[in-house]
Amino acid sequence: MVLGGCHRGGAKEWKRGLEPHSQPPKSPAEKRLLEEAFGKIFTEPEPRGLRCARGLLRGLKRVCVSEGVLAGTTGALFFAALGLSVRSQILKFGEDWVFLFLLGISMATLSFGLDVVVSKCQQANLWVYDELVGSHYLQYFSWTSYHVSLMVVSAAAAKYISPQAAGSGIPELKVALRGVMLHEFFTVRTFVAKLVGVICTLAGGSTIFLGKVGPFVHMATILATQLGKVMVWFAGSRENPARKYELLIAGAAVGVACCFVAPVGGVLFGVEATGTHFAVRDYWRGFFAATCAALTFRLLAVLYNTEETVAVLFRTSWRVEFPYDLPELLSYAILGILCGVLCCVFLFCHRNILMVIQNWPKINRFMVNNKIVYSGAVTLLLASLTFPHALGQYIGARLSMKQLLETFFNNMTWGLEEAFLGNATRQHPNASDGDGWLQWTHPDVSMLEMLSIFLVAKFLMLLVATTMIVPAGYFLPVFVYGAGLGRLYGEVMAKIFPDGIISDGIHIQITPAGYALAGAAAYSGAVTQTISTALLTFELTGQMSHILPVLVAVLIANAISQRAQPSFFDGIILVKKLPFLPKLSLGKSGGHDIYAEDFMVTNLKYLTRESKFKDLRTLLKVSSLKEFPLVDSEESRVLLGSVKRKCLSDLLLDQLSAEKRFQYMLSQSDGAARTQELELGGHEEKSEKFETSKETRGSSFDAAETSLTKDVEEEPLRSAAGSGDHPSEREKRMRYYNMVEAWECQQLQETVRLDALTLDPAPYRLLEEETLYQCYNLFNLLGLHIAYVTNMGRLVGVVGLKELKSAVEGCVKGTFTSRARWHSSRPADDQELKSLEEAKRGSSLA
């Protein structure tokens, strides 16, 4: 701290050295030293590329000199110049293209590698299970221990590596795109935890019944964030929130595209699932990155010899001629209603289960402290239910998630194929050979009964699986569940109409696979409340012939779901109480009849030009707001700007700081009183430390004041008759505290200095006549947390995220009551109404 004083003294001497009457250095050595010091202090910034090249040259020069090879300097200079040239060409071409290309191929490679690893793990599990044939106990042990160990590792990754990796990540991403940055949500550590956890989760197969779409969207946004930082450094620019938003949107599109090889549907689903508003200029980023990801994923499949050529993920062989007839659209509409109703039941149960876990203290405490134990117990239950010799033989437990979709999208009609097979020739589901659809045949149970058991069991199992705190996605399970529901519906339709639907004398056969496609799109779209799932399913199967019936089912299911329940991701946001606005109901005009003056806060807390520090202290005590408006005066209340709470707190602490108090005490006392005050404080060295720093002086004086206060409290006249020194000592203390109180009152009576405030001169403003829809769109589009309501520049109210959320919920439920009677197009009171009527009457008489 003494160095600070020396530095200030040195600065004064340096300033005096620059004055006109000061003499220059006498010797050349002193002059050269002064010039070197001046050059070190006032150095001109160099381009980053030039600095890197010079550093590279210095390093290579040392290596060359140490080995005696001086000729290498020329080569190093050449490579440095080449690097600068490549950098300039990339910047001229556009670093965004390079960034999006790297993002797409990186996530596609990661997704393909993860699929290979997961496939090998599942094959190893089935191989061990088949090798233990003849001993059901050993098979049960291998089956359960495999799944339990995987989920324990997944839960441990979410607990010890990064807690932000648990769950899907899409609800938190929606909040982050809203403008609320979550702690350590986009870090490399979270990326590693998410990757380890999702590998273990997917290796569990259909037993765990969880997917990878959400985690890959989260990982893609993390990779986009990290690559964005590298590109900002490479380009030498500055990172800004708008650019970060564009990177996150592109990452969300890539995350879906590299899972389903669906660039168009992936972009649209990423936009619908994560953002409330989307700029059209950002579409090209999403489409380019998603196309790179999808193409890389399929090329890797060809190189790995898993595919013959670049094709869709799930091949189908449906006939294109007359795939359906117009009367069959009614059947698809009924399927959409069924998917919407069942989706509402699922969303209601899921949200209430999470609310019970969140709101019950004992359950919540157990879940927080025993994440790994709970995940292992739930996995043991699921593995026991899906054991192939138990309930698993009726629900296709040996099939993976991809195999389940392949069987549901199979073009054959299972009912007809089952009729050709006798009970004796039906294949037992434990067999490992044969077609996948044969896993849905059983000697004792029909195919329709097996599908019904599958739907009931997976509905309950998925609800239980979503309570585990592990990295997992939830889109693929509901997609598979919807495909199974559509397959059951299609098989029932094929039994009801064995000859097909007759239209104009033509028999149109029922295609159960088409209903499976519509069910997958409708149910998953209703759960996530998105429409892009229809296009996503078309890209998965390559079938565009059923586009109309699928869209009918998706739209009907979405209408029912959005009317009754919040989406799956919005439900998680509500349970976690994250700062996010709910959706306004579609097709209702109530939001246009509610105005900002109906839900704004009128009990305002603000500062004025004439506000004193005592008013500032009172304001900080009675209010917990993070931002306060600044107005011209109490009478006019013209809004001048807004000030952060932290800035006001720092200003008040500086006004009542121990340093200023100590300076006042020194200035008000003579030499003897100053010595007595230091003795009273018990710290004689305080006067020496006063010249060191602001922090040291404040802390030492506070310690002395604390000791004095403790002495006064602990000795209430400690024996007033015992010694003659105590009364004089007490008088000194009382005089000291009176001086401190007088100084504090004097400081609080001063007017707040506006030039010392970091003022936001243009906070967001609303008018009283702004409708709820306008306020809602403005808050979502700009990511606002607070906006001030003004009338002709006069501050009349404030609208925060909390007030807007309450108004939206009241509008959706129909419970909102308007507080204002008149609006902009109506007079403010009866007197104005009478005056207008009189004016009209006078003009008509004239």
Side-chain angles (χ1 to χ4, degrees):
M1 294 303 173
V2 178
L3 294 177
C6 296
H7 177 72
R8 288 193 296 269
K12 293 179 181 178
E13 295 294 334
W14 179 75
K15 289 180 180 179
R16 284 198 296 268
L18 295 181
E19 291 177 357
H21 63 274
S22 61
Q23 297 182 0
K26 297 181 180 180
S27 63
E30 294 180 355
K31 183 177 181 181
R32 184 172 60 257
L33 182 63
L34 181 60
E35 291 177 353
E36 291 179 357
F38 186 85
K40 290 180 180 179
I41 296 175
F42 298 98
T43 57
E44 295 184 359
E46 296 179 348
R48 181 174 296 171
L50 184 59
R51 286 187 306 216
C52 294
R54 288 182 176 178
L56 181 62
L57 286 176
R58 284 195 296 267
L60 292 176
K61 186 177 181 180
R62 294 192 189 98
V63 175
C64 293
V65 171
S66 63
E67 296 183 359
V69 186
L70 298 177
T73 307
T74 305
L77 182 61
F78 170 75
F79 285 112
L82 180 62
L84 291 177
S85 176
V86 171
R87 176 179 178 273
S88 62
Q89 292 298 325
I90 291 176
L91 294 179
K92 185 184 298 184
F93 179 74
E95 66 273 13
D96 283 352
W97 294 96
V98 179
F99 158 76
L100 295 172
F101 176 75
L102 293 176
L103 177 63
I105 62 173
S106 301
M107 288 306 301
T109 305
L110 184 65
S111 177
F112 184 81
L114 185 143
D115 288 346
V116 172
V117 173
V118 168
S119 177
K120 296 297 183 182
C121 292
Q122 292 175 352
Q123 291 176 5
N125 177 42
L126 292 178
W127 178 81
V128 173
Y129 179 85
D130 293 335
E131 288 296 321
L132 297 175
V133 64
S135 177
H136 292 346
Y137 296 103
L138 291 178
Q139 286 183 323
Y140 174 78
F141 176 76
S142 68
W143 183 269
T144 55
S145 60
Y146 168 79
H147 293 95
V148 170
S149 59
L150 286 175
M151 296 310 296
V152 165
V153 174
S154 181
K159 180 178 181 180
Y160 295 111
I161 300 179
S162 177
Q164 287 75 16
S168 170
I170 293 182
E172 291 80 4
L173 180 60
K174 293 183 68 173
V175 175
L177 292 175
R178 177 63 180 73
V180 180
M181 300 312 298
L182 303 177
H183 181 62
E184 294 187 356
F185 189 73
F186 297 106
T187 60
V188 179
R189 187 173 183 178
T190 304
F191 182 90
V192 174
K194 203 84 172 182
L195 179 60
V196 174
V198 76
I199 289 176
C200 297
T201 301
L202 292 178
S206 60
T207 297
I208 309 302
F209 206 55
L210 295 174
K212 71 172 186 177
V213 176
F216 261 78
V217 169
H218 186 188
M219 288 191 293
T221 54
I222 295 176
L223 185 60
T225 303
Q226 301 301 325
L227 284 177
K229 293 180 180 179
V230 174
M231 297 305 296
V232 166
W233 172 84
F234 181 80
S237 58
R238 181 176 298 177
E239 190 175 2
N240 56 77
R243 181 184 179 89
K244 189 172 184 180
Y245 179 86
E246 296 171 354
L247 300 182
L248 294 180
I249 287 293
V254 168
V256 182
C258 65
C259 292
F260 290 122
V261 198
V264 180
V267 172
L268 297 180
F269 180 81
V271 170
E272 283 191 285
T274 58
T276 54
H277 289 75
F278 189 77
V280 179
R281 66 177 180 273
D282 296 332
Y283 267 121
W284 72 269
R285 292 182 173 87
F287 282 122
F288 178 76
T291 302
C292 293
L295 184 60
T296 304
F297 189 90
R298 300 313 294 167
L299 288 177
L300 289 175
V302 174
L303 296 176
Y304 196 70
N305 296 326
T306 58
E307 296 288 346
E308 297 179 359
T309 182
V310 178
V312 295
L313 194 60
F314 299 103
R315 292 186 180 181
T316 56
S317 57
W318 307 350
R319 58 184 178 83
V320 183
E321 303 85 6
F322 303 105
Y324 64 93
D325 199 62
L326 290 180
E328 201 173 355
L329 289 178
L330 179 61
S331 178
Y332 281 95
I334 296 175
L335 176 61
I337 295 174
L338 181 61
C339 290
V341 173
L342 193 59
C343 166
C344 292
V345 176
F346 172 77
L347 293 176
F348 176 81
C349 296
H350 172 259
R351 190 175 68 258
N352 282 273
I353 289 174
L354 294 184
M355 289 179 66
V356 169
I357 295 175
Q358 187 79 12
N359 297 332
W360 283 28
K362 293 184 179 180
I363 299 179
N364 189 16
R365 195 180 306 113
F366 174 80
M367 293 290 293
V368 171
N369 299 329
N370 303 277
K371 298 178 182 179
I372 301 177
V373 176
Y374 178 78
S375 299
V378 171
T379 306
L380 180 60
L381 174 63
L382 297 177
S384 301
L385 291 176
T386 58
F387 181 56
H389 286 283
L391 184 63
Q393 62 182 323
Y394 305 110
I395 59 177
R398 293 178 60 93
L399 299 177
S400 64
M401 306 278 275
K402 182 179 179 180
Q403 291 172 340
L404 285 174
L405 285 176
E406 289 176 348
T407 56
F408 292 148
F409 293 153
N410 195 330
N411 191 36
M412 293 186 298
T413 303
W414 294 355
L416 297 178
E417 298 294 333
E418 187 182 30
F420 292 117
L421 295 175
N423 290 337
T425 58
R426 290 182 186 176
Q427 184 173 349
H428 196 274
N430 291 330
S432 58
D433 54 350
D435 293 335
W437 75 273
L438 293 177
Q439 294 288 324
W440 297 100
T441 60
H442 196 277
D444 303 325
V445 182
S446 67
M447 172 268 307
L448 294 179
E449 292 174 341
M450 291 185 66
L451 284 175
S452 301
I453 296 174
F454 171 83
L455 294 177
V456 174
K458 290 301 182 181
F459 185 89
L460 300 176
M461 291 170 60
L462 183 57
L463 288 176
V464 176
T466 53
T467 61
M468 292 189 296
I469 307 177
V470 295
Y474 308 110
F475 176 79
L476 188 58
V478 297
F479 191 82
V480 174
Y481 187 88
L485 180 62
R487 185 75 196 197
L488 176 61
Y489 185 85
E491 294 292 341
V492 171
M493 287 290 296
K495 278 189 174 295
I496 296 175
F497 303 99
D499 297 330
I501 298 178
I502 302 175
S503 177
D504 296 333
I506 301 176
H507 291 267
I508 305 297
Q509 295 293 330
I510 300 295
T511 306
Y515 287 95
L517 183 65
Y523 189 79
S524 59
V527 171
T528 58
Q529 293 185 1
T530 56
I531 311 297
S532 56
T533 52
L535 185 58
L536 199 62
T537 53
F538 297 143
E539 289 185 285
L540 281 173
T541 59
Q543 287 288 342
M544 296 294 293
S545 57
H546 285 69
I547 183 171
L548 185 57
V550 170
L551 281 177
V552 169
V554 169
L555 291 174
I556 293 177
N558 258 278
I560 296 174
S561 175
Q562 294 186 21
R563 185 66 179 87
Q565 296 291 331
S567 69
F568 183 86
F569 303 126
D570 291 343
I572 296 177
I573 292 175
L574 293 175
V575 172
K576 291 185 177 181
K577 298 179 180 179
L578 299 176
F580 194 78
L581 289 175
K583 289 184 179 179
L584 277 173
S585 296
L586 300 177
K588 296 181 65 177
S589 60
H592 296 288
D593 299 329
I594 301 175
Y595 297 85
E597 59 182 334
D598 296 332
F599 55 88
M600 68 181 183
V601 177
T602 56
N603 185 16
L604 300 175
K605 304 292 188 300
Y606 52 85
L607 288 173
T608 65
R609 285 179 178 270
E610 297 82 12
S611 294
K612 302 182 182 301
F613 279 96
K614 65 176 183 179
D615 304 325
L616 177 58
R617 185 173 67 172
T618 304
L619 184 65
L620 294 176
K621 283 183 179 181
V622 301
S623 177
S624 60
L625 298 176
K626 297 182 179 180
E627 185 177 347
F628 295 94
L630 177 65
V631 298
D632 187 29
S633 63
E634 287 282 353
E635 294 77 16
S636 63
R637 288 203 301 187
V638 176
L639 183 63
L640 302 179
S642 62
V643 189
K644 299 290 184 182
R645 182 186 185 91
K646 187 178 183 301
C647 179
L648 296 177
S649 301
D650 295 341
L651 185 62
L652 182 61
L653 289 176
D654 181 71
Q655 184 70 8
L656 301 177
S657 63
E659 178 185 353
K660 290 186 178 181
R661 184 167 64 246
F662 193 63
Q663 290 177 353
Y664 172 79
M665 305 302 287
L666 291 177
S667 64
Q668 293 297 322
S669 59
D670 54 3
R674 190 176 307 172
T675 304
Q676 293 177 0
E677 181 185 2
L678 294 176
E679 293 176 353
L680 184 62
H683 296 277
E684 295 181 355
E685 70 277 6
K686 186 180 299 181
S687 60
E688 299 176 0
K689 293 184 178 180
F690 174 73
E691 297 295 334
T692 59
S693 68
K694 178 179 178 180
E695 292 81 1
T696 307
R697 291 196 300 269
S699 59
S700 61
F701 194 80
D702 289 340
E705 183 180 353
T706 305
S707 63
L708 289 176
T709 307
K710 185 176 181 182
D711 292 340
V712 173
E713 293 178 352
E714 291 184 353
E715 59 166 67
L717 299 179
R718 197 184 281 175
S719 71
S723 175
D725 295 334
H726 289 291
S728 60
E729 194 75 16
R730 183 188 176 194
E731 290 177 359
K732 293 177 183 178
R733 290 193 179 96
M734 295 302 297
R735 185 168 59 252
Y736 164 74
Y737 283 118
N738 290 334
M739 293 175 64
V740 170
E741 184 178 359
W743 171 83
E744 185 174 342
C745 293
Q746 178 183 354
Q747 292 293 101
L748 292 177
Q749 289 297 329
E750 293 184 7
T751 305
V752 178
R753 303 179 303 276
L754 298 182
D755 56 348
L757 296 176
T758 304
L759 185 66
D760 182 9
Y764 291 101
R765 311 186 185 196
L766 299 173
L767 298 178
E768 293 177 292
E769 295 79 17
E770 297 278 356
T771 63
L772 177 60
Y773 268 104
Q774 292 173 329
C775 298
Y776 179 84
N777 292 331
L778 185 63
F779 269 67
N780 277 326
L781 184 61
L782 300 178
L784 302 182
H785 297 274
I786 190 173
Y788 299 106
V789 184
T790 58
N791 184 3
M792 300 294 293
R794 174 183 172 86
L795 180 64
V796 295
V798 61
V799 174
L801 201 62
K802 179 180 178 181
E803 291 76 26
L804 183 60
K805 183 178 179 180
S806 300
V808 171
E809 291 176 350
C811 177
V812 171
K813 297 178 182 178
T815 59
F816 186 85
T817 56
S818 177
R819 295 183 305 182
R821 295 179 57 190
W822 305 99
H823 296 292
S824 60
S825 60
R826 302 178 181 178
D829 49 23
D830 295 336
Q831 186 66 28
E832 293 184 5
L833 181 61
K834 292 179 180 179
S835 62
L836 288 177
E837 290 179 352
E838 292 176 359
K840 290 181 180 179
R841 188 181 300 111
S843 61
S844 62
L845 291 177

